[in-house]
Amino acid sequence: MKDLLKGSVLPRDNDSARLLHPTRRDIPGRDRMRRFAHDDEVDMLVIGCGAGGGVLAQRLARAGWRVCVLERGPFWDPEADWVSDEAGSAHIYWNDVRIVGGKDPVQMGKNNSGHGVGGSMVHYAGYTPRFHPSDFETQTRDGVGTDWPITYRDLREHYARVERELPVAGQDWPWGDPHSYPHSPHPVCGAAERAWHGAIQHGIEMRVGPVGIANGVFGNRPHCIYRGFCLQGCKVNAKASPLVTHVPDALEHGAEIRADCMVVRIEADASGKATGVTYIHDGKECFQRAAAIAVCGYSIESPRLLLHSSGPGFPNGIGNAGDQVGRYLMVQGAPQVAGRFPELLRMYKAPPPEVSSEQFYETDPSRDFARGFSIQTISPLPIGWAEHVLADGHRGAALREYMRDYNHWAVLGALSELLPQPENRVTLAGETDQFGMPLVRFDYTQCENDRRNIAFAKQTLHDIWESAGAQDVLTIDRYAHLVGGCRMGTSPDNSVVGADHRVWGTDNVFVADGSVMPTQGSANPALTIMVLASRLAELLGRKQLGATHKGAYARAVR
Amino acid sequence: MTHDFTKAHHLPKRRGGQDQADPYDLPRQRRGKTPQMHGRYPDYDVLEQAGAWDEPTRAVVLARVDDVPEREFFTAAEAATLGAFCDDLLAQHSEPRIPVLAFVDAKHAAGKTEGYRYADMPPDAETWRLVARGLDEAAGGEAGAYADIDSDGRERILDAFSSGDLEGGVWAELDVSRAWSVVTRDALTAFYAHPWAWNEIGFGGPAYPRGYARLGIGMSEAWEGEEAIHPDPVPDVKRKGLE
Ligand SMILES: Cc1cc2nc3c(=O)[nH]c(=O)nc-3n(C[C@H](O)[C@H](O)[C@H](O)COP(=O)(O)OP(=O)(O)OC[C@H]3O[C@@H](n4cnc5c(N)ncnc54)[C@H](O)[C@@H]3O)c2cc1C
Ligand code: SF4
């Protein structure tokens, strides 16, 4: 039965795919969108319309909450605002300067976060793996990192639900908690075929997917056209981002999404009750009243905003009594190794995410480090490929020669789980930005376990290409993904929020984005961020929060 | 040497040295332009596909060919040095050249940033100016000196720059490796954003709304370029029926 219905099942509690226009690409419902007055106390004010904020807004709006989302970037129209071009897409990234330091500084910009309705998922690659059950208890199992105050079981139903909403396409998944996907796997391009073949030769299992890209009929969401520009924003609307997967339904249920609004402070009284937020729109300062606030601004901006929102009850920032805000920020080590083959592979075709393996995800006592990594195909476009070639040490005529050879190459990447450390953190720098907010500073230094993990992962990628008979290889070291910074825990001494996402010491401030993650596994984070927001919405709906401030929750069940 | 690109002996690592790659025995570009008019796909001009692109993309890409920005940010002397540096970095030693520095200049004239800055570095735009000074110092002279020394001298400076080995003067203040990463990122972006470079490497370019249908190993869309197969253009031209 399930096979018969493959590709046609729509989610029960989210009509976004049906609400989209069958041929136009802009998001329906903007013209009729509800508008809240500044002095109207909304039930939930969501800061940021990305992976976490988009899902939370949709869920709560559907449950009857009066939801207002403030988003710093534009309300994108994929047809008019995005281009099928690498350099022409710089405007979709978060380009305000962030200062990076530490011994292993992390580059931000195009390899990091986005802005605008849809958040960083506008330009994410589209991989949507689940976390493994082990990710929630790495301290107990492996003696590293920390345990989450929740387990995989708390999220399991939400994984299945969000996978149906994106929808996720892929083969049956054998790793972690084995599961299958609502859409069948996409066809793969020549480059991914090469990688897959090499992995098999080397004794490594790979599977097609999982990607948040419709494969078959799914309401009015178009099918993928295999044009390969996923990291530049999908003009087709085939790739999942909250803009197409949750925003249409949120608008339909009365949410307001106010774009081009940069929140600069959360206003709270000394007792821990937030009253609203101050934000900048068109250079003007405004205040929006709210009964509750969800901070969903990404792992850099969320801690920055909490740190900047100091006040009588919060001299060092909201939720920062235990000096935890901004700490335990994590990136994944993401080395890439390219292999050269006789045939034309033209890796620019098809989505860059195609085939992946989680065979090395868990701790293996025969290796000299704890935890593991995953392996995925990645297919850089020409500028990305040039950075790869340069990083391997080539310039001038040699660089041009490798570049001319572009169509003969395939690229594999690893995602190494790097461990959470307190000194890898966000702080406020001395300079201020155009909004009068202090710039953020992000320091990052790897530990020994991290270095070993990355080195082993890189060697494994080399071995795969060797087994595949690659004629030459080129390597680049990089990072990917950024989570943590407002981590979830059991007390204000070890975390910023509790298992219910509520910021310690406040009544009605929540964090619901990637920053709440205490560990990161070696899975790409977006799906799990959405899933956490989905669970929080369920808790709020059920009023299982033990909150002292009743307003919002009372109204929700009106 | 014949052009059998199923083999990899033309690749720099397989040739045992950085400098030996010689594109000049590739056929001359017969359709459209490539930088220096050599390339792997002599009969492929991605710009002929512009009619299949969506309007916003077409506007962005064609502007790179048709509206080269005037110099605004760099001084004439800085531009001389940095222009020579970009030519060396990208081996653009003859016309037609992709005007790399013009696009870098336009980016910084518009105050565009990359979303981050190393804690020990000045803003990127300032780094470019410092690099201009530093290259001239390394060339042992006044503003613009780098452009005037011979190619061996420039090659030595470039080699030291890329391996983080420049010292003294500007370089005492500026982290050499980070400066290298800042300027090369901008220069590579400008070069490989240009459709002439796509012709050279056989990249399909923008692909909306048409998309791709032939994804497998060795497969091409009807309009995608064929790789040159022989150094002598005559048999190549014959085989493709271009006479
Ligand atoms: C190149 C690239 C590829 C990636 N590929 C993948 C992938 O394949 N799979 C995967 O799972 N993940 C991927 N990611 C990561 C993924 O996109 C992010 O982890 C995820 O989107 C983060 O979700 P979030 O809710 O924490 O923040 P975001 O999605 O970034 O949303 C935060 C939103 O808040 C807004 N905001 C921030 N501060 C404020 C403020 N003060 N006021 C108002 N609005 C504000 C921002 O503009 C933004 O829209 C990729 C990322 C990049 C850069
Ligand atoms: S490859 Fe598919 S999902 Fe990616 S941008 Fe193109 S149409 Fe969208």
Side-chain angles (χ1 to χ4, degrees), chain A residues 513-528:
Chain A
D513 61 7
S515 64
V516 302
M517 292 185 173
T519 63
Q520 59 176 345
S522 38
N524 320 54
L527 176 73
T528 303

Side-chain angles (χ1 to χ4, degrees), chain B residues 7-60:
Chain B
K7 307 269 184 339
H9 50 236
H10 61 288
L11 291 177
K13 276 198 200 174
R14 305 286 298 261
R15 297 164 73 134
Q18 282 255 344
D19 313 325
Q20 299 167 35
D22 177 15
Y24 292 94
D25 60 354
L26 284 171
R28 269 185 77 77
Q29 191 69 13
R30 293 181 287 238
R31 236 151 121 176
K33 268 192 190 178
T34 68
Q36 292 76 57
M37 288 311 270
H38 49 67
R40 271 297 172 79
Y41 301 82
D43 304 306
Y44 171 61
D45 182 11
V46 70
L47 289 169
E48 288 174 4
Q49 302 302 319
W53 306 342
D54 64 286
E55 190 49 51
T57 303
R58 189 161 47 231
V60 164

